[in-house]
Amino acid sequence: MLIEDIKAPMTAEMLSEIVESQICCFGDAPLITRPKFDFINGVEILIENSILLCCMSDEEMSEDNLTLMHLAKYIKAFDERSILYYISLKPKVFSVGFYADDRFIEVVNSSELAFR
């Protein structure tokens, strides 16, 4: 089976590895959501019934100091096999990432998360 055929939701371990490698390559960076969300239409990414990340407007995410380092530290508090999921009124297509080298670098996207 090809890797792209695997449809398992992302685990804490998978996200931790991605975030740590991006910190090594790019350093700490503020997280943003694409497409841009406003506060009313934001999305929460959860793990073990705890909010891992609130995806809101760029300004609100910046005010809350949501960065790669924040995510790296927080994700370590959970079992590495825990599944990440997002909640919203309906399924959405979005990515969480940051800007580096004048381009958007994706950390995770909605297709990699379970939806509730």
Side-chain angles (χ1 to χ4, degrees):
M1 176 182 283
L2 296 173
I3 291 175
E4 63 227 23
D5 293 334
I6 299 172
K7 300 294 183 195
M10 184 172 286
T11 63
E13 178 182 34
M14 294 162 71
L15 181 60
S16 182
E17 289 176 6
I18 291 167
V19 171
E20 292 296 335
S21 69
Q22 290 177 335
I23 290 171
C24 286
C25 292
F26 301 103
D28 196 17
L31 295 172
I32 55 173
T33 307
R34 292 295 174 261
K36 291 183 179 183
F37 286 153
D38 58 33
F39 182 75
I40 302 294
N41 295 316
V43 170
E44 293 177 335
I45 297 177
L46 292 98
I47 184 169
E48 295 179 8
N49 296 317
S50 295
I51 297 172
L52 179 64
L53 190 63
C54 289
C55 303
M56 305 170 286
S57 70
D58 294 354
E59 295 79 18
E60 290 164 317
M61 291 179 77
S62 177
E63 287 172 10
D64 287 347
N65 264 342
L66 301 178
T67 67
L68 281 172
M69 292 296 287
H70 162 87
L71 194 54
K73 289 177 186 172
Y74 194 60
I75 195 80
K76 290 180 187 203
F78 299 96
D79 184 294
E80 64 185 21
R81 295 167 294 178
S82 297
I83 299 295
L84 280 75
Y85 61 96
Y86 75 97
I87 57 172
S88 178
L89 295 176
K90 61 181 181 176
K92 293 187 178 190
V93 175
F94 66 93
S95 296
V96 175
F98 57 94
Y99 274 99
D101 301 330
D102 297 321
R103 62 190 166 107
F104 180 74
I105 309 294
E106 182 178 281
V107 175
V108 63
N109 70 63
S110 56
S111 69
E112 298 166 324
L113 304 171
F115 171 72
R116 291 192 184 167

